[in-house]
Amino acid sequence: MRRNPAEIAKMRRAGAVVAEMHEATRKAAQPGVTTAQLDRVAREVLDRRAARSNFLHYRGYPAVICTSPNDMIVHGIPGSYVLKEGDILSIDCGAIIEGYHGDAAFTMAIGEVSAQAKRLIEVTEQSLWAGIAQLRDGRHLHEVGRAVQQVAEAAGFSVVREYVGHAIGTAMHEEPQVPNYWPGKPGPVIKTGHVFAVEPMVNVGGPQTRTLEDGWSVVTADGSLSAHFEHTIAVTEDGPVVLTVP
Ligand code: MF3
Ligand code: CO
């Protein structure tokens, strides 16, 4: 669906709230802090900005953010997990302003982490930017996944297949999907006014996933570390514009 400039301006406001949730949770994420505390910090930002949560109650989801440590890929429910030095933690945040959605995620180090963990975080963020650079009018959507996959695999890592990015607007998840790999065909043509959430999930080991008994938490099947970066991006005449920034 193509969004007009007024709609994109609202998504930009939602994106700014998401960016503020990132800043607040990043600052709060220290050894000894629980992931439930991070959810509270994120709720305070939503309240302060009079924004609604798109995560809370989504298919029964019980929190406003997802917190996924170490081998957890996505959709970790904030709770009693206590962060410790050496962890990596993925934090996924979303917000709604005047009916328009923002969605973005990042992975951070808790204190000092292994060289491999650091590299995983760097490469996953790089893969996101390589994907974003493909979001130009006239290109094919699956070029995004091709670019993401190339960066991740060149570093010796693998890209998750079962979870993908998505168009976003008046719902968090709109069609079409945005795979983080080349699915064998070019996909739809990208047009000015399209808005996508691009969100590579990159594993140190294999791409296979497993869902825990809580029905949400997705972990790597082989127990290897995983990172996740996401932005909401509008396609404009001047190229991609990231909306989930301060
Ligand atoms: N941000 C996630 C995505 O991009 C959605 C989180 S699932 C929820 O799809 F249940 F937490 F909302
Ligand atoms: Co998303």
Side-chain angles (χ1 to χ4, degrees):
M1 177 144 181
R2 297 174 79 169
R3 305 284 173 186
N4 65 38
E7 293 178 290
I8 288 173
K10 285 179 188 166
M11 296 187 74
R12 178 70 187 74
R13 288 174 52 208
V17 175
V18 174
E20 199 172 328
M21 295 166 84
H22 279 198
E23 284 170 21
T25 53
R26 181 189 288 280
K27 201 162 150 235
Q30 306 274 348
V33 167
T34 68
T35 51
Q37 283 173 275
L38 301 181
D39 190 67
R40 280 196 285 278
V41 164
R43 282 176 200 248
E44 284 167 14
V45 175
L46 288 167
D47 290 347
R48 190 160 65 234
R49 297 300 171 204
R52 285 183 44 224
S53 173
N54 37 13
F55 288 22
L56 187 65
H57 307 318
Y58 177 84
R59 299 188 185 185
Y61 189 74
V64 303
I65 64 173
C66 301
T67 50
S68 307
N70 299 323
D71 65 334
M72 201 173 286
I73 301 168
V74 284
H75 301 168
I77 302 171
S80 57
Y81 182 81
V82 180
L83 297 172
K84 60 181 191 304
E85 174 101 15
D87 281 348
I88 66 169
L89 178 69
S90 300
I91 302 179
D92 193 345
C93 299
I96 310 173
I97 291 276
E98 290 182 33
Y100 287 84
H101 290 242
D103 182 12
F106 66 99
T107 301
M108 65 179 290
I110 306 299
E112 275 301 308
V113 301
S114 70
Q116 188 181 56
K118 257 185 214 158
R119 190 152 155 280
L120 174 68
I121 292 171
E122 281 166 18
V123 166
T124 306
E125 185 168 17
Q126 272 172 25
S127 78
L128 170 60
W129 290 107
I132 290 172
Q134 302 305 313
L135 291 176
R136 307 191 78 97
D137 185 281
R139 296 205 188 167
H140 288 90
L141 188 59
H142 294 172
E143 293 298 339
V144 171
R146 174 148 50 196
V148 166
Q149 182 175 24
Q150 212 246 312
V151 170
E153 291 182 358
F157 300 139
S158 71
V159 156
V160 169
R161 314 294 167 110
E162 283 106 327
Y163 302 88
V164 295
H166 46 94
I168 179 170
T170 49
M172 176 164 59
H173 295 146
E174 297 184 349
E175 290 298 320
Q177 297 189 342
V178 185
N180 296 301
Y181 57 94
W182 177 252
K185 52 180 165 36
V189 176
I190 298 166
K191 292 287 177 199
T192 293
H194 285 163
V195 184
F196 298 104
V198 177
E199 50 178 317
M201 289 143 267
V202 177
N203 301 345
V204 164
Q208 295 81 12
T209 73
R210 184 165 69 83
T211 303
L212 299 187
E213 303 68 44
D214 63 18
W216 282 102
S217 309
V218 180
V219 297
T220 57
D222 60 11
S224 68
L225 290 179
S226 184
H228 179 211
F229 279 84
E230 176 179 25
H231 271 305
T232 297
I233 307 106
V235 179
T236 75
E237 283 170 10
D238 303 322
V241 172
V242 177
L243 303 179
T244 34
V245 289

